[in-house]
Structures are given as C-alpha cells and as structure tokens.
Amino acid sequence: MIREAWWMSVWPGVAILLTVGERDPRVRAHACASLNFEITVALALLVGAATLPWGVGAVIMGLTGAIWFLARIVAAARAARGRLVRYPGSLRLVR
C-alpha cells in the first residue's frame, strides 16, 4: 500500500519534469526539487520500515509523514507566491 501511495505522489513531478519542464527552467527547478524530496521521503520510509522490529521504525515513519505533510504545505505557499522551493534535507539526485 505504501508503494502505491508513494508512486501517486511521485508521478506528477515526473510528468511535469518531462513535459513542461523541458521548456520552462523555472518549472523544471520546482519539479526537480519536488521529485528529489519525494525520493528522499521514500528512502526515509524504507529505513523506517526496515527498523520496525526494533521499535524505532514507527517513530521514523511518523516523523517522516509529519515532515512530508508540513513541507508540502510550505512549498505550495512559496510556489504560489512565485518563490523557488527548496526542501531542507532532501537529496539532490535529479538535476
């Protein structure tokens, strides 16, 4: 179930990156930042799932979900004001 939910949050970033991102550098920057953040969240959730037997995983997964939710709200507000979005702590894998 987590895999399907993660994919549903990743595909808009990939679609925008491959379509409009090819023409508009500003849109590409936002799409790359979003995709990098989603990949980082997925990796954190995998670490949380792997450490569930020791009891730490629930905390990791809960904090990851809360950070994801708050970061998405802040990013949407910043993008609506025309500012470039930078997610703190996200890995820069897609450039």
Side-chain angles (χ1 to χ4, degrees), residues 5-83:
W6 175 76
W7 178 247
M8 289 182 66
S9 66
V10 168
W11 77 264
V14 173
I16 291 170
L17 186 63
L18 295 176
T19 56
V20 182
E22 295 290 325
R23 297 185 306 259
D24 189 352
R26 185 168 171 245
V27 171
R28 180 174 175 76
H30 282 281
C32 284
S34 175
L35 188 57
N36 285 328
F37 180 67
E38 290 297 332
I39 292 170
T40 303
V41 166
L43 292 174
L45 289 174
L46 283 174
V47 169
T51 57
L52 269 174
W54 297 281
V56 181
V59 174
I60 292 172
M61 293 175 82
L63 286 174
T64 301
I67 290 169
W68 176 85
F69 184 74
L70 293 174
R72 283 295 185 188
I73 292 172
V74 170
R78 286 184 141 195
R81 283 188 252 134
R83 300 171 83 191

